[in-house]
Coordinates of all heavy atoms in Angstrom, one line a residue:
P97 N 24.5 38.2 -28.9 CA 24.8 39.4 -28.1 C 26.5 39.3 -27.7 O 27.0 40.4 -27.7 CB 23.9 39.2 -27.0 CG 22.8 38.4 -27.5 CD 23.4 37.5 -28.4
M98 N 27.0 38.1 -27.6 CA 28.4 38.2 -27.2 C 29.3 38.6 -28.3 O 30.2 39.4 -28.2 CB 28.8 36.7 -26.8 CG 30.2 36.6 -26.3 SD 30.8 34.9 -25.9 CE 29.7 34.6 -24.5
M99 N 28.9 38.1 -29.6 CA 29.7 38.6 -30.7 C 29.3 40.1 -31.0 O 30.3 40.9 -31.4 CB 29.3 37.8 -31.9 CG 29.8 36.3 -31.9 SD 29.6 35.4 -33.4 CE 27.8 35.0 -33.1
E100 N 28.2 40.6 -30.8 CA 27.9 42.0 -31.0 C 28.6 42.9 -29.9 O 29.1 43.9 -30.1 CB 26.4 42.1 -30.8 CG 25.6 41.7 -32.0 CD 24.1 41.9 -31.9 OE1 23.7 42.6 -30.9 OE2 23.4 41.2 -32.7
L101 N 28.7 42.4 -28.6 CA 29.5 43.1 -27.7 C 31.0 43.2 -28.1 O 31.5 44.2 -28.0 CB 29.5 42.3 -26.4 CG 30.1 42.8 -25.1 CD1 29.7 44.3 -24.8 CD2 30.1 42.0 -24.0
Q102 N 31.6 42.1 -28.6 CA 32.9 42.2 -29.0 C 33.1 43.2 -30.3 O 34.0 43.9 -30.3 CB 33.4 40.7 -29.5 CG 35.0 40.7 -30.0 CD 35.3 39.4 -30.5 OE1 34.4 38.5 -30.7 NE2 36.6 39.2 -30.7
A103 N 32.1 43.1 -31.2 CA 32.1 44.0 -32.4 C 32.0 45.4 -31.8 O 32.7 46.3 -32.4 CB 31.0 43.7 -33.4
A104 N 31.2 45.7 -30.9 CA 31.1 47.1 -30.4 C 32.4 47.5 -29.6 O 32.6 48.7 -29.9 CB 29.8 47.2 -29.4
A105 N 33.0 46.6 -29.0 CA 34.3 47.0 -28.4 C 35.3 47.4 -29.3 O 36.3 48.2 -29.1 CB 34.8 45.9 -27.5
L106 N 35.3 46.7 -30.6 CA 36.3 47.0 -31.6 C 36.0 47.9 -32.6 O 36.6 48.2 -33.6 CB 36.8 45.6 -32.2 CG 37.5 44.7 -31.2 CD1 37.7 43.3 -31.8 CD2 38.6 45.2 -30.6
A107 N 34.7 48.4 -32.6 CA 34.2 49.3 -33.7 C 34.9 50.6 -33.7 O 35.2 51.3 -32.9 CB 32.7 49.7 -33.2
P108 N 35.3 50.9 -35.0 CA 36.1 52.1 -35.3 C 35.2 53.4 -35.3 O 34.8 53.9 -36.3 CB 36.7 51.8 -36.6 CG 35.8 50.9 -37.2 CD 35.1 50.1 -36.2
L109 N 34.7 53.9 -34.1 CA 33.7 54.9 -34.0 C 34.3 56.0 -33.1 O 35.2 55.7 -32.3 CB 32.3 54.4 -33.3 CG 31.6 53.3 -34.1 CD1 30.4 52.8 -33.3 CD2 31.0 54.0 -35.4
P110 N 33.9 57.2 -33.3 CA 34.3 58.3 -32.3 C 33.9 57.8 -30.9 O 32.8 57.0 -30.6 CB 33.3 59.4 -32.7 CG 32.9 59.2 -34.2 CD 32.8 57.6 -34.2
P111 N 34.7 58.3 -30.0 CA 34.4 57.8 -28.5 C 33.1 57.8 -28.0 O 32.6 56.9 -27.4 CB 35.5 58.7 -27.6 CG 36.5 59.1 -28.8 CD 35.8 59.1 -30.0
S112 N 32.3 58.9 -28.3 CA 31.0 59.0 -27.7 C 30.1 58.0 -28.3 O 29.2 57.5 -27.7 CB 30.5 60.5 -27.8 OG 30.3 60.7 -29.3
E113 N 30.1 57.9 -29.6 CA 29.3 56.9 -30.3 C 29.7 55.4 -29.9 O 28.7 54.6 -29.6 CB 29.4 57.0 -31.8 CG 28.8 58.2 -32.3 CD 28.9 58.2 -33.9 OE1 28.8 57.2 -34.6 OE2 29.2 59.4 -34.4
K114 N 30.9 55.2 -29.7 CA 31.5 53.9 -29.3 C 30.9 53.6 -27.8 O 30.4 52.4 -27.7 CB 33.0 53.9 -29.4 CG 33.6 52.5 -29.1 CD 35.1 52.5 -29.5 CE 35.5 51.2 -29.4 NZ 37.0 51.1 -29.8
A115 N 31.1 54.6 -27.1 CA 30.6 54.3 -25.7 C 29.1 53.9 -25.6 O 28.5 53.1 -25.0 CB 30.9 55.5 -24.7
T116 N 28.3 54.7 -26.4 CA 26.8 54.5 -26.5 C 26.6 53.0 -27.0 O 25.7 52.3 -26.4 CB 26.1 55.5 -27.3 OG1 26.4 56.8 -26.7 CG2 24.7 55.3 -27.3
K117 N 27.2 52.8 -28.1 CA 26.9 51.4 -28.8 C 27.4 50.3 -27.8 O 26.8 49.3 -27.6 CB 27.7 51.4 -30.2 CG 27.5 50.0 -30.8 CD 27.9 50.2 -32.3 CE 27.7 49.0 -33.0 NZ 26.4 48.9 -33.6
F118 N 28.6 50.5 -27.2 CA 29.1 49.6 -26.3 C 28.2 49.3 -25.1 O 27.8 48.2 -24.7 CB 30.5 49.9 -25.7 CG 31.0 48.9 -24.8 CD1 31.7 47.7 -25.4 CD2 30.8 48.9 -23.5 CE1 32.1 46.8 -24.5 CE2 31.3 48.0 -22.5 CZ 31.9 46.9 -23.1
N119 N 27.6 50.3 -24.5 CA 26.8 50.2 -23.3 C 25.4 49.4 -23.8 O 25.0 48.7 -23.0 CB 26.5 51.6 -22.7 CG 27.7 52.1 -22.1 OD1 28.5 51.4 -21.7 ND2 27.7 53.5 -22.0
E120 N 25.0 49.8 -25.0 CA 23.8 49.1 -25.4 C 24.0 47.6 -25.6 O 23.2 46.7 -25.2 CB 23.2 49.7 -26.8 CG 22.2 49.1 -27.4 CD 21.9 49.6 -28.9 OE1 21.9 51.0 -29.0 OE2 21.8 48.9 -29.8
K121 N 25.1 47.2 -26.2 CA 25.3 45.8 -26.4 C 25.8 45.2 -25.2 O 25.5 44.0 -24.9 CB 26.5 45.7 -27.5 CG 26.2 46.2 -28.9 CD 24.9 45.7 -29.4 CE 24.6 46.1 -30.8 NZ 23.4 45.7 -31.2
A122 N 26.4 45.8 -24.2 CA 26.7 45.2 -22.8 C 25.5 44.9 -22.1 O 25.3 43.9 -21.5 CB 27.5 46.1 -22.1
A123 N 24.5 45.8 -22.2 CA 23.2 45.6 -21.6 C 22.4 44.4 -22.3 O 21.8 43.5 -21.5 CB 22.3 46.8 -21.6
D124 N 22.5 44.3 -23.4 CA 21.8 43.2 -24.3 C 22.5 41.9 -23.8 O 21.8 40.8 -23.6 CB 22.1 43.3 -25.9 CG 21.2 44.4 -26.4 OD1 20.3 44.8 -25.7 OD2 21.3 44.7 -27.6
F125 N 23.8 41.9 -23.8 CA 24.5 40.6 -23.4 C 24.3 40.2 -21.9 O 24.0 39.0 -21.7 CB 26.2 40.9 -23.5 CG 26.9 39.7 -22.9 CD1 27.1 38.5 -23.6 CD2 27.4 39.8 -21.7 CE1 27.7 37.4 -23.1 CE2 28.2 38.7 -21.2 CZ 28.3 37.5 -21.9
S126 N 24.3 41.1 -21.1 CA 23.8 40.8 -19.7 C 22.4 40.3 -19.5 O 22.1 39.3 -18.8 CB 24.0 42.1 -18.9 OG 25.4 42.5 -18.8
L127 N 21.5 40.9 -20.2 CA 20.1 40.5 -20.2 C 20.0 39.0 -20.8 O 19.3 38.2 -20.3 CB 19.2 41.4 -21.1 CG 17.8 41.0 -21.3 CD1 17.1 41.1 -20.0 CD2 17.0 41.8 -22.3
H128 N 20.6 38.8 -22.0 CA 20.6 37.4 -22.5 C 21.2 36.4 -21.6 O 20.8 35.3 -21.5 CB 21.1 37.4 -23.9 CG 20.3 37.9 -24.9 ND1 20.1 39.3 -25.2 CD2 19.4 37.2 -25.7 CE1 19.2 39.5 -26.1 NE2 18.7 38.3 -26.5
A129 N 22.4 36.7 -20.9 CA 22.9 35.8 -20.0 C 22.1 35.5 -18.8 O 22.1 34.4 -18.4 CB 24.3 36.4 -19.5
E130 N 21.4 36.5 -18.4 CA 20.5 36.3 -17.2 C 19.2 35.5 -17.7 O 18.7 34.5 -17.0 CB 19.9 37.5 -16.6 CG 19.0 37.4 -15.5 CD 19.5 36.6 -14.3 OE1 20.7 36.6 -14.1 OE2 18.6 35.9 -13.6
Q131 N 18.8 35.5 -18.9 CA 17.7 34.8 -19.5 C 18.3 33.3 -19.6 O 17.4 32.3 -19.3 CB 17.3 35.3 -20.8 CG 16.5 36.5 -20.9 CD 16.1 37.0 -22.3 OE1 16.9 36.7 -23.2 NE2 15.2 37.9 -22.3
L132 N 19.5 33.1 -20.0 CA 20.0 31.7 -20.1 C 20.0 31.1 -18.7 O 19.6 29.9 -18.6 CB 21.4 31.8 -20.8 CG 22.2 30.4 -20.8 CD1 21.4 29.5 -21.7 CD2 23.5 30.7 -21.4
C133 N 20.4 31.9 -17.7 CA 20.4 31.4 -16.4 C 18.9 31.0 -15.9 O 18.9 29.9 -15.2 CB 21.1 32.4 -15.4 SG 22.8 32.6 -15.6
R134 N 18.1 31.7 -16.1 CA 16.7 31.5 -15.7 C 16.1 30.3 -16.4 O 15.5 29.5 -15.8 CB 15.7 32.8 -16.1 CG 16.1 33.8 -15.0 CD 14.9 34.9 -14.9 NE 14.5 35.3 -16.3 CZ 14.9 36.4 -16.8 NH1 15.7 37.2 -16.2 NH2 14.4 36.8 -18.0
V135 N 16.3 30.2 -17.8 CA 15.9 28.9 -18.5 C 16.6 27.7 -18.0 O 15.9 26.7 -17.8 CB 16.1 29.1 -20.0 CG1 15.9 27.8 -20.8 CG2 15.3 30.2 -20.6
A136 N 17.9 27.8 -17.7 CA 18.6 26.6 -17.1 C 18.0 26.2 -15.7 O 18.0 25.1 -15.5 CB 20.1 27.0 -17.1
E137 N 17.8 27.2 -14.9 CA 17.2 26.9 -13.7 C 15.7 26.2 -13.8 O 15.5 25.3 -13.1 CB 17.0 28.2 -12.8 CG 18.3 28.9 -12.2 CD 18.0 30.2 -11.7 OE1 17.1 30.9 -12.0 OE2 18.8 30.5 -10.8
V138 N 14.9 26.7 -14.6 CA 13.6 26.0 -14.8 C 13.9 24.6 -15.3 O 13.4 23.6 -14.9 CB 12.7 26.9 -15.9 CG1 11.5 26.0 -16.3 CG2 12.3 28.1 -15.2
A139 N 14.7 24.5 -16.4 CA 15.0 23.2 -16.9 C 15.6 22.2 -15.9 O 15.2 21.0 -15.7 CB 16.0 23.3 -18.1
T140 N 16.5 22.8 -14.9 CA 16.9 21.9 -14.0 C 15.9 21.5 -12.9 O 15.9 20.5 -12.5 CB 18.0 22.7 -13.2 OG1 19.1 23.0 -14.2 CG2 18.8 21.9 -12.2
D141 N 15.0 22.5 -12.5 CA 14.0 22.2 -11.6 C 13.1 21.2 -11.9 O 12.6 20.4 -11.2 CB 13.3 23.5 -11.1 CG 14.3 24.4 -10.3 OD1 15.3 23.9 -9.8 OD2 14.0 25.7 -10.1
V142 N 12.6 21.3 -13.2 CA 11.6 20.3 -13.7 C 12.1 19.2 -14.5 O 11.3 18.2 -14.5 CB 10.4 21.1 -14.5 CG1 9.9 22.2 -13.7 CG2 10.9 21.6 -15.8
G143 N 13.3 19.2 -15.0 CA 13.7 18.2 -15.9 C 14.9 17.5 -15.3 O 15.2 16.5 -15.9
C144 N 15.5 17.7 -14.3 CA 16.6 17.1 -13.8 C 16.2 15.8 -13.1 O 15.1 15.6 -12.5 CB 17.3 18.0 -12.6 SG 19.0 17.5 -12.3
D145 N 17.1 14.8 -13.3 CA 16.8 13.4 -12.8 C 17.0 13.6 -11.1 O 17.2 14.6 -10.7 CB 17.6 12.4 -13.3 CG 19.1 12.7 -13.2 OD1 19.5 13.3 -12.3 OD2 19.9 12.2 -14.1
E146 N 16.7 12.5 -10.5 CA 16.7 12.5 -9.1 C 18.2 12.6 -8.5 O 18.3 12.6 -7.3 CB 16.2 11.2 -8.5 CG 14.7 11.2 -8.7 CD 14.1 11.0 -10.1 OE1 14.7 10.2 -10.7 OE2 13.1 11.7 -10.4
D147 N 19.2 12.7 -9.3 CA 20.7 12.8 -8.8 C 20.8 14.2 -8.2 O 20.9 15.1 -8.9 CB 21.5 12.4 -10.0 CG 23.0 12.4 -9.5 OD1 23.3 12.8 -8.4 OD2 24.0 12.2 -10.3
P148 N 20.9 14.4 -6.9 CA 21.1 15.6 -6.4 C 22.5 16.3 -6.7 O 22.6 17.5 -6.7 CB 20.9 15.3 -4.8 CG 21.2 13.9 -4.5 CD 20.9 13.2 -6.0

Side-chain angles (χ1 to χ4, degrees):
M98 186 181 295
M99 289 186 283
E100 290 176 9
L101 178 62
Q102 181 184 13
L106 297 173
L109 298 171
S112 64
E113 288 179 46
K114 188 172 189 173
T116 301
K117 184 171 183 79
F118 178 83
N119 290 337
E120 176 187 310
K121 297 306 177 185
D124 287 350
F125 172 77
S126 296
L127 176 67
H128 282 83
E130 181 56 29
Q131 287 174 338
L132 179 60
C133 290
R134 286 195 312 260
V135 168
E137 285 171 335
V138 170
T140 301
D141 290 342
V142 300
C144 198
D145 57 27
E146 286 74 37
D147 181 358

